[in-house]
Amino acid sequence: MDHEKLLALLDSRMRRRAVPDTPAARVEHTPVVVRQSGPDSVWNGILWSDLDAAGADEAIAEQVRHYAGLGQDFEWTLYGHDRPADLADRLSAAGFTPEEPETLMVADIADLTRRMAGTGEPAGIELREVTDEAGVAQVVAVHEEAFGTDGTRLGRRILAQLAESPETLRIHLAVARHEGREIPVSAARLELHPGTGFAGLWGGGTLAAWRGRGVYRALVAHRARIAAELGYEYLRVDASDQSRPILERLGFAVLTTMTPYQYERGSRT
């Protein structure tokens, strides 16, 4: 796998030529940024940028004004190879707050499905597809317990995507049978991007008591098979430090780092 070529392909297809996530979203392509905007049910933020030192600060200020006009908080997703080299410092100076960095990893789907051909559900675990509001509520509950974060906005976005563009999303719960009860122990999503060749793995958070049993691995294999059946070429993951070692063992390659920078209204006075 040619990492530089693959990173350039992802930049071109997924960032520079990005299309809206849902019908409620709007993607604008300007000379220096690609951004998505919309209501609360939509992810608002900067998908791609190509800035130089002379114009970076004004470009950042313009994005702040744009989203302020919409009454929306937003995210600037900073990739490790984005320019200028001090863009992270400039975002911080403009009032953005960085979250934990992630690692952008990619796998060739055909190769991955061959590697994981024998991977199934661990004993006592069943993988179920989620298609309704009750299932989404279970996904949110697992997300909140596994990651320790509020999943309210995530739930709204998933429900909106299921309603408006269900062909772009597959959601799965891993359910354990334990002492006569059924317990959702992990939840994961497969985001599909028609025309790009890329599908994305999201979520995958597993409750602490059920980690180390192959649940995450089973969810990766299951989603890879779905993506392969739908004709996708590559899987991308924005991996945490916890999932990165697992994904590397499965054959995912590291392309670059990603850091979400959040801008909340009122963060600058």
Side-chain angles (χ1 to χ4, degrees):
M1 185 181 294
D2 185 328
H3 292 192
E4 289 189 8
K5 182 178 179 179
L6 190 54
L7 182 58
L9 186 67
L10 187 143
D11 272 347
S12 173
R13 294 182 181 179
M14 296 291 295
R15 302 181 68 201
R16 298 187 66 172
R17 290 188 281 161
V19 297
D21 287 344
T22 72
R26 181 179 74 258
V27 169
E28 297 170 287
H29 298 75
T30 81
V32 293
V33 303
V34 176
R35 65 191 180 202
Q36 179 168 283
S37 308
D40 285 345
S41 61
V42 165
W43 179 87
N44 282 264
I46 307 303
L47 294 156
W48 171 84
S49 67
D50 185 18
L51 309 179
D52 58 29
D57 292 337
E58 175 52 32
I60 292 168
E62 197 282 323
Q63 308 318 310
V64 171
R65 291 192 294 269
H66 168 77
Y67 287 101
L70 299 175
Q72 291 288 353
D73 301 335
F74 71 106
E75 175 183 308
W76 191 303
T77 308
L78 178 64
Y79 288 69
H81 60 293
D82 287 346
R83 302 183 301 168
D86 63 348
L87 184 52
D89 294 335
R90 293 172 185 264
L91 290 171
S92 295
F96 289 77
T97 302
E99 296 186 344
E100 288 297 317
E102 301 168 321
T103 303
L104 174 60
M105 307 182 74
V106 173
D108 178 283
I109 290 176
D111 179 62
L112 183 65
T113 53
R114 283 194 295 270
R115 287 171 178 262
M116 305 190 74
T119 302
E121 297 90 341
I125 298 291
E126 179 185 351
L127 302 186
R128 297 178 183 172
E129 186 168 1
V130 171
T131 59
D132 59 17
E133 189 170 352
V136 171
Q138 290 180 309
V139 168
V140 169
V142 169
H143 175 93
E144 291 182 333
E145 185 171 346
F147 295 111
T149 57
D150 184 2
T152 304
R153 179 171 289 187
L154 172 66
R156 288 200 300 265
R157 289 177 178 169
I158 292 175
L159 286 172
Q161 192 170 355
L162 281 176
E164 297 167 3
S165 50
E167 73 282 356
T168 66
L169 182 65
R170 299 288 189 277
I171 313 168
H172 294 90
L173 274 174
V175 180
R177 296 183 182 87
H178 181 67
E179 297 180 351
R181 296 185 301 132
E182 291 190 340
I183 306 171
V185 298
S186 189
R189 310 186 306 282
L190 175 68
E191 297 271 358
L192 303 166
H193 304 280
T196 68
F198 286 89
L201 301 185
W202 296 89
T206 303
L207 303 190
W210 296 87
R211 293 171 189 164
R213 306 190 189 195
V215 177
Y216 180 81
R217 180 185 175 96
L219 283 165
V220 170
H222 185 70
R223 289 176 289 170
R225 286 191 289 268
I226 293 172
E229 291 168 2
L230 294 173
Y232 284 84
E233 300 173 79
Y234 303 106
L235 276 180
R236 66 164 289 174
V237 185
D238 303 345
S240 67
D241 289 343
Q242 188 173 23
S243 58
R244 173 177 169 168
I246 302 172
L247 294 167
E248 284 185 309
R249 289 195 294 270
L250 296 178
F252 281 78
V254 173
L255 294 190
T256 188
T257 59
M258 300 172 56
T259 305
Y261 278 76
Q262 303 296 336
Y263 191 94
E264 297 182 2
R265 288 161 291 168
S267 61
R268 296 284 282 184
T269 58

